[in-house]
Amino acid sequence: MKKAEIKLTIELDDNNVPESIMWESTDAQNKEALPVKSMMLALWDQNYKNTLRIDLWTKDMPVDEMKRFFYETLQTMGDSFLRATGETNIVEDLRDYCAHFADKMEISQK
């Protein structure tokens, strides 16, 4: 069985606010740690039937980039949900909401 590891390194200031976030993966083509400004990690706990989450962003993450990050995350969640369930109707509703979100946040939809 193949195994892969994803490693996150978070550098915090004195108030535990992220200064930097680095990630690396044993499966990545690039073997060095790469910097990112924001991350969302969601894990399903099958024993308790709930989601465990870690949402982090660096203190210098620009607001306009955070808006785009949320927009793209919502879009890709729809893609993942469609692949996992085949539920096209609700994914179309989610995409409609994403278009509404982009409009309200003044994000150009790429």
Side-chain angles (χ1 to χ4, degrees):
M1 179 187 319
K2 180 179 176 180
K3 288 187 180 182
E5 290 185 21
I6 298 171
K7 179 180 174 184
L8 298 165
T9 304
I10 317 298
E11 185 176 310
L12 305 170
D13 68 10
D14 293 335
N15 295 314
N16 288 330
V17 176
E19 292 274 353
S20 71
I21 303 170
M22 304 289 285
W23 83 279
E24 58 191 297
S25 169
T26 56
D27 262 5
Q29 290 180 356
N30 187 354
K31 296 301 179 191
E32 63 190 47
L34 299 172
V36 295
K37 292 289 182 192
S38 184
M39 61 164 273
M40 293 180 180
L41 176 65
L43 305 164
W44 179 249
D45 184 325
Q46 67 184 30
N47 292 325
Y48 290 102
K49 305 291 186 232
N50 66 2
T51 302
L52 309 171
R53 294 190 50 85
I54 300 173
D55 299 332
L56 296 174
W57 56 93
T58 60
K59 63 170 76 176
D60 64 343
M61 172 83 172
V63 172
D64 62 324
E65 290 182 20
M66 182 61 85
K67 291 176 183 180
R68 175 156 290 283
F69 177 60
F70 268 78
Y71 168 73
E72 291 185 9
T73 299
L74 289 169
Q75 288 278 53
T76 57
M77 286 175 64
D79 297 340
S80 295
F81 189 74
L82 180 60
R83 281 194 314 277
T85 66
E87 297 283 343
T88 56
N89 290 337
I90 196 66
V91 171
E92 289 171 8
D93 289 348
L94 180 56
R95 290 201 175 114
D96 288 344
Y97 174 75
C98 289
H100 172 75
F101 181 90
D103 183 52
K104 290 290 186 183
M105 294 290 107
E106 299 178 347
I107 300 168
S108 64
Q109 297 178 50
K110 295 180 181 177

